[in-house]
Amino acid sequence: MKLNYKSTFKERALAPDIAEEKFKEYCKSSKHITYWKQTGFDERKSNMNKKDFFQIPYLIRAMPDFFVVADSKPFWIEVKGCRADLRIKKHDMYWYDKWNVLSELSGSKVCRLFIFIYSTHLGKKFVISYYKLLSLIEDNDYPIFTYPDSKKEYYKIDIKDIQNVEKER
């Protein structure tokens, strides 16, 4: 079953998250990652209903999906799945920035937010820093669309642009 904005809350909650599974595989196979923990508030496979879920403060709901230690440095990881285009809500970018700033306020100069992206279209994974993603959005004229159900605006980014940035790191 392909999930999208037309899928119900229950369908989304019960479906496996392919991108998160790919990230876990990535962590297990990495020689650099020595610790990883799922940290985000994950409504999948929970018994929480939609009404209760939306009562949770957004900062908590927007918590990055994982915390990792790689090469003795801590990182937050937000996991995103996509097909040929990565859709990033403008609203989510605002909260990613807050989590990135929280890391800086805690005195950690190395704990930063990274985005792990898995493209089912390409069958590939990409890792990009929040700052590089932000620069990519600011430097390009990506179309902004609106989800009909939530009315939230999102950037539609060609996965090839992410691939090109990732090659530069």
Side-chain angles (χ1 to χ4, degrees):
M1 166 192 226
K2 290 185 178 180
L3 297 178
N4 59 35
Y5 73 90
K6 294 177 184 176
S7 305
T8 67
F9 184 82
K10 189 170 187 169
E11 287 171 334
R12 292 181 203 188
L14 293 174
D17 189 325
I18 296 168
E20 283 192 2
E21 293 306 314
K22 292 295 182 181
F23 180 71
K24 290 174 186 176
E25 290 173 14
Y26 176 78
C27 288
K28 289 175 187 174
S29 67
S30 174
K31 294 176 183 170
H32 301 281
I33 297 174
T34 55
Y35 176 81
W36 58 277
K37 175 96 173 132
Q38 194 159 6
T39 55
F41 191 89
D42 190 0
E43 75 281 3
R44 290 178 184 267
K45 298 179 183 152
S46 79
N47 60 356
M48 183 176 290
N49 65 45
K50 183 178 178 179
K51 181 182 173 192
D52 291 343
F53 176 74
F54 286 106
Q55 294 303 310
I56 298 167
Y58 206 92
L59 182 64
I60 302 302
R61 286 190 282 145
M63 179 184 286
D65 298 310
F66 289 86
F67 177 80
V68 302
V69 176
D71 295 328
S72 299
K73 297 174 187 161
F75 298 96
W76 289 111
I77 306 292
E78 178 65 20
V79 176
K80 292 288 184 191
C82 69
R83 294 180 184 123
D85 297 307
L86 176 65
R87 296 174 183 203
I88 297 282
K89 292 180 195 132
K90 290 174 73 175
H91 182 72
D92 288 348
M93 289 297 290
Y94 171 84
W95 290 102
Y96 297 158
D97 188 64
K98 298 296 178 214
W99 276 97
N100 208 53
V101 169
L102 280 173
S103 295
E104 294 170 2
L105 292 175
S106 70
S108 174
K109 297 298 180 191
V110 289
C111 187
R112 296 287 189 264
L113 178 63
F114 281 78
I115 315 296
F116 176 93
I117 303 159
Y118 182 74
S119 166
T120 56
H121 177 74
L122 296 177
K124 290 185 176 181
K125 59 188 172 299
F126 306 96
V127 180
I128 184 172
S129 73
Y130 164 74
Y131 287 128
K132 286 218 178 192
L133 179 61
L134 185 60
S135 291
L136 189 64
I137 290 169
E138 290 173 349
D139 293 345
N140 292 278
D141 191 21
Y142 292 115
I144 296 174
F145 297 90
T146 304
Y147 284 110
D149 60 337
S150 66
K151 307 297 184 227
K152 291 186 178 175
E153 294 182 317
Y154 65 90
Y155 300 101
K156 188 174 178 182
I157 303 168
D158 189 317
I159 196 65
K160 292 175 187 168
D161 292 346
I162 301 286
Q163 191 172 16
N164 290 335
V165 169
E166 204 234 1
K167 286 179 182 176
E168 294 175 9
R169 55 176 197 117

